[in-house]
Each structure stands twice: as C-alpha cells, then as structure tokens.
C-alpha cells in the first residue's frame, strides 16, 4: 500500500519535459540514488539466494565485493563523467556519437536482451516464496501464476510514476528489506541455545571440518566462482559492466545533479552494500547451525529437515516465525522483488524510447508538447511490453534453473554474462582507445554473446575433456574471456570520427 501511494505521489509531482520521466530532471539527491542502486543490486535473488549460498557453502561470496569496489572506482572515474559530459539519457547514446548509429541501436538491443535474461531470472526467484505463501505450492503452475501477479503490480506503479517513483520506492523498500532481515537475525539468535562465541566456534569446524566462515579462497580451480582471483578479475569486469554499461543501474546515477554526485552515488552504494550482503550471508550461517547441527542445538533442534536449500530461509519464516513477523518477512521479500523489477522496467522503456523511438520520431515531428505527450504514452506502453517479456522469460527459468542444478545466486549472475561481455568490450574500446566503428561494434556485441555460449556446458563441456581441460568454467571466467574476445573484435575496426559533446539535433543525432 505504501509503495503504491508513493508511486502515485511521484506521478502527480512529475514535471513536464522529456528528461523527467527517465531522469527525474537530474534533481535526485545522491544518498537516495545510492540506496536505490543498493536496493536494485540486492534484489530477491539476494534475499532468497544469499542465505542459501552461505547455508550450502561459506562466506566466499562476500569476496566478490572486492571486485565491486574496484569496479565502482573505475565507473566513477571513467564512465560517469563522460556520460554527463555528453548529457545522455541512455548510455548507448554515447556509443552512437563515438562509433556510429548502428552501434547505439545494437548495444541498446543487447542490453534489452540481457535485461530480459537477468531480471526475468530474478522474477522467477521471487516467485518461489510468493507461491509458497500465497498457494502453499511451488509447482510450475503456481510459480507461473505468481510471476504474472508480481510483474503486473510492478508495471502498474512504474508506468505511472517514472524513475522518480522507482528511486523513492526503492528507498522505502530497502529500509523494509534490511529491517526484516535484522529482525530475523534477532529471532534466530534467540532460538539457538548458545552464545555468539560458541556459534562462531561451531561454524569454524563446519560439517566436515571445513571453515564456514572462510571469506578468501585462494584456489586456482576455474570451476569455483568465488575465489580471490575471480574477485579481482572476473567480478571487477562484471561489476564495471553492471554499473557502467547496463542502463538499469547507470540510469539511476544519471539522475543526480552533476557528474560528481553521480560518481559518488555508485561508490557509496558499494560501501553500504558490503555490510548488507554480510547480513544476508550471516543469516544463512545461522540457519545452517539451526538446521544442520542437531547435536549443538540439542533439545532446541527443529523436528524437521530442509530438503531444498533454495527454501531454507523461507521455510524458517513460515515454520518458526509468529504471525505478524511472518508477514513482515514477506513484505521484505516482496519489497526486494519490486525494487529490482521496477528499475528494470523503467530502464528497458528508456532504452527502447530513447534509442529506437525518439530518433525516428525526431525525423518526422518537431519537439512540440504534443510530441512529448506521445512519447510519454509510448514510454508507458514500453513498460508494459517489458513486463510481458520479463514474465515470459521467468516462465522459461521455472524449468531452466531446476535442470541446471545451480544455486539461485549463481544462476541469476550467470545469465547476465551473456549481454555484459559484449557491452563491456564495446564500451571499453570506445572509452579507452581510438579504435572501433559501427561494424566492429556490432560484431563485438555478437562475438561476446557467442563466446559466453561457447564457454558454457553445451559446447565447452563437450570440447574441454577432449583437450584435457576442466569440464566446467565458473561464470566470472566466462565473463573475462568473452570480454577479451569482444574487445579484440571491436578493436579491429578503424577509428570512427568522434562527435563532440552537445545536444541532439532535430534529427535525434
């Protein structure tokens, strides 16, 4: 109810002008943008998958934040100042002026495909607890019904309020998400009949003598996704792509008053995000003690087992929490779902309108009030179409994730690499070199996507054993190798004439 009301207020306060619906007239405070970026990057995948990751493994996922902090510094220093200098609404406008118009539309198209993959996977993840609560059943049919309900609600208030509604509702949702997990911590600590020193000691011993509190993994095994080397290389590249080339997250930073505020918003988001991620992972460790250490729990041990680690946090909510707190947990979960869903819908609409619709409209119609009103209608239609696309892919994920056998976190991150590799390769070439043109950019985007596919199990899993290599490759290494391929392909193109910063002309160029 609060989210709907806040979205309605933001919609009524929306000012006239093309920049307001997608950029909030560049008037958002830095702290609100930082919280919004944090809320979106957390998502339901973190709410459900974070505890699962630590419950089934250890704290090595936390090391990926090393790459996040490095990436935030790179994006703040290299990407954000350029985007503000060129006054872009969609980050792919920069590519159009640096490399050519086809690179702009191709990169925007690749973003739309990648965002369908990534946000569709997140939508699927949140449908699991929704189905458990609403229907008491996580069969494919009930998951699909849940997907339809969630996407409809998010599309409704996003279409009405624009990016301003997205950011302010994200702030509210972030507070609910963090608060609910904090309450769950207190309740679980109360149920465990030992103090924190004893809990830490038993976690260090683990089930088989392994340390559940391990953060840094120095292994050179390429199948492990969360090692020091993937954090320094793969996750740095991954996060540069996420915060520098993905309109979903970068759009938020462009709503700040200037480049300095936009740059600080991404840095602050990562700094405050570190303890929040630790909060979710710590929840998974406590749940491991509660469910997997019956000798330690003694008489306080629960009288049932967890057969699916994806549901461990949800099962604790539904079985152990009293009425009221249980509802609060569900509110937190759905807040996490909405905070990632609404931003994806707005970003997909902004990319479709700014990179595809607006240039074509500018050739036919002058920038009149009627034309701006028509663009707003098209923006809202684009949000509804985006919601339909995400719901469709989430339905595919209902069957895909179960067949893959991956944890929810690995699955959600892995599908994003398909688009990120090509996008990062093209942006890196455009920003850091004088190479690249329209043709090579399009080829690089395709090459990055194909390289990720070839490094996956269908192809790599068949070729690798015949070459005496590992049969699996963790997604950070797929990201690294595919990005290198994309940079190499994009650099094959001769230097395009770069257009200086300035406003778009009547043709949208």
């Amino acid at each position: 109810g609060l989210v709907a009301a806040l979205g309605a207020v933001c919609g009524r306060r929306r000012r006239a002008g093309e920049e307001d619906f997608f950029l909030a007239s560049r008037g958002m405070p830095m702290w609100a943008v930082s919280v919004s970026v944090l809320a979106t990057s957390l998502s339901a995948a973190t709410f459900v998958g974070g505890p699962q990751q630590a419950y089934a493994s250890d704290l090595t996922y936390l090391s990926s934040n090393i790459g996040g902090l490095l990436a935030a510094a790179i994006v703040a220093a290299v990407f954000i100042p350029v985007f503000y200098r060129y006054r872009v609404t969609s980050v792919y406008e920069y590519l159009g002026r640096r490399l050519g118009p086809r690179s702009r539309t191709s990169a925007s198209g690749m973003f739309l495909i990648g965002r369908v993959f990534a946000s569709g996977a997140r939508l699927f993840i949140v449908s699991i607890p929704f189905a458990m609560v609403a229907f008491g059943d996580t069969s494919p049919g009930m998951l699909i019904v849940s997907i339809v309900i969630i996407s409809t609600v998010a599309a409704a208030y996003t279409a009405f309020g624009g990016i301003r509604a997205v950011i302010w509702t994200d702030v509210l949702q972030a507070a609910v998400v963090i608060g609910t997990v904090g309450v769950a911590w207190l309740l679980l600590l109360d149920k465990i009949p030992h103090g924190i020193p004893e809990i830490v000691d038993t976690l260090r011993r683990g089930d088989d003598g392994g340390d559940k509190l391990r953060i840094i993994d120095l292994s050179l095994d390429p199948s492990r996704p969360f090692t020091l080397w993937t954090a320094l290389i793969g996750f740095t590249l991954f996060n540069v792509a996420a915060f520098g080339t993905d309109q979903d997250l970068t759009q938020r930073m462009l709503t700040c008053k200037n480049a300095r505020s936009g740059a600080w918003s991404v840095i602050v988001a990562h700094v405050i995000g570190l303890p929040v991620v630790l909060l979710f992972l710590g929840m998974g460790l406590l749940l491991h003690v509660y469910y997997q250490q019956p000798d330690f729990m003694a008489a306080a041990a629960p009288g049932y087992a967890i057969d699916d680690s994806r549901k461990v946090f949800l099962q604790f909510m539904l079985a152990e929490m009293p009425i009221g707190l249980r509802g609060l947990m569900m509110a937190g979960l759905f807040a996490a779902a909405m905070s990632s869903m609404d931003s994806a819908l707005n970003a997909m609409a902004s990319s479709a309108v700014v990179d595809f619709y607006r240039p074509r409209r500018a050739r036919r119609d002058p920038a009149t009030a009627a034309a701006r009103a028509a663009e707003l209608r098209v923006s809202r239609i684009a949000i509804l179409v985006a919601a339909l696309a995400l719901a469709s892919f989430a339905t595919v994920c209902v069957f895909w994730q179960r067949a893959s056998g991956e944890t929810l976190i690995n699955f959600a991150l892995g599908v994003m690499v398909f688009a990120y590799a090509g996008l990062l390769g093209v942006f890196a070439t455009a920003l850091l070199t004088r190479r690249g043109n329209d043709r090579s950019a399009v080829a690089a985007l395709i090459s990055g996507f194909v390289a990720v596919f070839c490094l996956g199990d269908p192809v790599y899993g068949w070729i690798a054993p015949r070459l005496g290599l590992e049969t699996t490759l963790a997604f950070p290494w797929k990201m690294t190798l595919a990005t290198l391929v994309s940079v190499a392909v994009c650099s094959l193109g001769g230097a395009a004439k770069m257009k200086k910063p300035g406003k778009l002309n009547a043709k949208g160029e």
Side-chain angles (χ1 to χ4, degrees):
L2 286 172
V3 167
L6 189 56
V9 169
C10 291
R12 285 198 297 269
R13 291 183 178 178
R14 195 180 62 79
R15 288 173 283 177
E18 293 184 351
E19 281 198 335
D20 194 87
F21 192 78
F22 293 132
L23 292 179
S25 298
R26 299 189 192 269
M28 297 303 297
M30 184 273 290
W31 69 267
V33 173
S34 296
V35 175
S36 178
V37 171
L38 171 64
T40 298
S41 58
L42 286 176
S43 80
T46 308
F47 196 101
V48 179
Q52 181 206 14
Q53 189 73 32
Y55 177 86
S57 182
D58 48 32
L59 294 179
T60 49
Y61 173 68
L62 195 64
S63 67
S64 65
N65 286 270
I66 299 173
L69 290 171
L70 292 174
I74 294 171
V75 170
V78 179
F79 287 73
I80 299 301
V82 172
F83 295 153
Y84 269 87
R85 193 181 311 137
Y86 280 79
R87 301 290 294 178
V88 300
T89 300
S90 160
V91 295
Y92 313 112
E93 289 180 77
Y94 166 73
L95 292 181
R97 299 164 76 178
R98 165 66 174 83
L99 301 175
R102 281 185 296 180
S103 65
R104 171 185 176 179
T105 54
S106 298
S108 184
M110 182 61 70
F111 156 72
L112 291 172
I113 294 172
R115 188 41 52 194
V116 168
F117 276 38
S119 294
R122 291 175 173 181
L123 178 57
F124 150 69
I125 289 171
V126 79
S127 72
I128 298 172
F130 190 99
M132 284 184 67
V133 174
F135 310 113
D137 181 7
T138 56
S139 64
M142 292 300 97
L143 291 177
I144 292 171
V145 172
S146 302
I147 287 167
V148 172
I149 294 172
I150 297 167
S151 55
T152 300
V153 173
Y157 75 80
T158 305
F160 188 74
I163 191 64
R164 185 176 282 105
V166 169
I167 292 175
W168 286 119
T169 54
D170 279 356
V171 171
L172 170 64
Q173 290 158 340
V176 174
V177 170
I178 297 169
T180 52
V181 178
V183 170
W185 259 75
L186 296 176
L187 183 62
L188 192 50
L189 285 172
D190 183 64
K191 285 181 174 291
I192 298 175
H194 297 281
I196 292 180
E198 291 82 4
I199 295 174
V200 169
D201 185 60
T202 194
L203 286 171
R204 288 199 181 281
R205 293 196 303 269
D207 292 331
D208 53 0
D211 185 0
K212 295 282 290 181
L213 299 180
R214 181 179 60 164
I215 297 177
I216 301 298
D217 182 359
L218 298 176
S219 171
L220 296 176
D221 184 351
S223 65
R224 293 191 179 188
F226 306 115
T227 66
L228 178 61
W229 320 116
T230 60
L232 292 173
I233 303 173
F235 274 104
T236 299
L237 295 176
F238 182 90
N239 281 283
V240 169
F243 292 92
T245 75
D246 188 333
Q247 177 73 359
D248 185 18
L249 290 168
T250 311
Q251 181 184 8
R252 240 71 56 80
M253 304 164 210
L254 299 181
T255 64
C256 292
K257 296 177 181 179
N258 50 51
R260 180 182 177 86
S261 296
W264 272 108
S265 69
V266 65
I267 295 174
V268 171
H270 276 83
V271 171
I272 63 178
L274 185 60
V276 174
V277 172
L278 182 59
L279 190 69
F280 283 96
L281 294 176
M283 189 69 203
L285 295 179
L286 293 178
L287 290 169
H288 179 272
V289 171
Y290 187 71
Y291 286 113
Q292 298 294 329
Q293 299 286 347
D295 294 338
F296 184 75
M297 292 295 298
Y304 57 93
I306 300 295
D307 58 349
D308 186 349
S309 64
R310 297 183 306 171
K311 302 176 183 177
V312 60
F313 192 17
L314 308 173
Q315 189 65 47
F316 177 76
M317 291 181 198
L318 297 177
E320 303 296 334
M321 288 190 171
I323 297 296
L325 278 182
R326 190 183 308 173
L328 183 64
M329 291 296 111
M330 290 302 105
L333 174 61
F334 301 143
M338 294 298 105
S339 65
S340 56
M341 185 77 178
D342 56 13
S343 59
L345 293 175
N346 192 276
M348 292 173 73
S350 69
S351 182
V353 169
V354 174
D355 296 320
F356 293 95
Y357 171 77
R358 187 181 291 175
R360 287 163 176 77
R361 185 215 69 196
R363 297 190 190 104
R364 302 190 310 269
D365 305 318
T368 62
R372 288 194 292 271
E375 182 173 286
L376 178 60
R377 288 194 298 271
V378 171
S379 301
R380 287 172 168 162
I381 292 172
I383 287 174
L384 299 179
V385 173
L388 179 61
L390 295 184
S392 300
F393 186 76
T395 301
V396 173
C397 291
V398 170
F399 306 96
W400 184 5
Q401 191 272 336
R402 187 177 297 275
S404 73
E406 293 184 297
T407 65
L408 296 176
I409 285 285
N410 284 355
F411 181 75
L413 294 176
V415 296
M416 298 166 75
V417 174
F418 282 93
Y420 278 1
L423 285 172
L424 181 56
V426 173
F427 270 93
T429 304
L431 287 166
L432 303 177
T433 76
R434 295 182 177 274
R435 304 291 301 174
N437 55 35
D438 243 350
R439 291 183 179 180
S440 68
V442 174
L445 290 167
I446 298 172
S447 299
F449 192 98
V450 172
V452 174
F453 176 78
C454 291
L455 293 170
D457 289 341
V459 178
Y460 183 79
W462 182 83
I463 296 176
R466 289 160 175 78
L467 299 177
L469 302 174
E470 294 284 344
T471 56
T472 57
L473 199 64
F475 69 85
W477 295 123
K478 295 178 187 177
M479 178 73 195
T480 302
L481 296 175
T483 299
L484 292 175
V485 170
S486 179
V487 169
V489 172
C490 192
S491 298
L492 292 176
K497 184 178 180 181
M498 187 170 185
K499 297 179 182 179
K500 294 182 179 180
K503 294 184 178 181
L504 298 178
N505 60 22
K507 295 183 178 181
E509 299 174 339

